[in-house]
Amino acid sequence: MNNSLCIDRRAIVPIVIHMLDGIFYMQALRQIENESLFRLEMNEDDIILYSIDDDYPVWVLE
């Protein structure tokens, strides 16, 4: 079973979204802020991208 989604659509930085054990991860095909893998957390208002290495929020998308 394929549990990833590749989003390109002529994006500046193409990404792949994976789900592993119920947790979503976003992998950029180029480094962003010196990282390329982020954990995604979603609530009613925001999508938060966390650093995998340090587990701190890198971005909040509103």
Side-chain angles (χ1 to χ4, degrees):
M1 174 182 255
N2 187 355
N3 63 348
S4 64
L5 171 67
C6 181
I7 301 175
D8 183 342
R9 301 292 294 151
R10 300 180 187 191
I12 294 172
V13 179
I15 62 171
V16 176
I17 297 175
H18 303 272
M19 186 175 82
L20 180 62
D21 297 329
I23 299 171
F24 287 97
Y25 296 93
M26 182 185 85
Q27 182 173 9
L29 301 182
R30 291 186 225 156
Q31 285 195 337
I32 304 169
E33 296 289 321
N34 296 322
E35 299 184 45
S36 61
L37 185 63
F38 304 90
R39 179 175 55 85
L40 297 175
E41 186 175 294
M42 295 169 266
N43 61 36
E44 292 180 11
D45 300 319
D46 305 319
I47 299 173
I48 306 165
L49 285 76
Y50 286 91
S51 167
I52 293 298
D53 296 328
D54 299 329
D55 200 37
Y56 69 90
V58 179
W59 291 295
V60 176
L61 307 175
E62 300 175 339

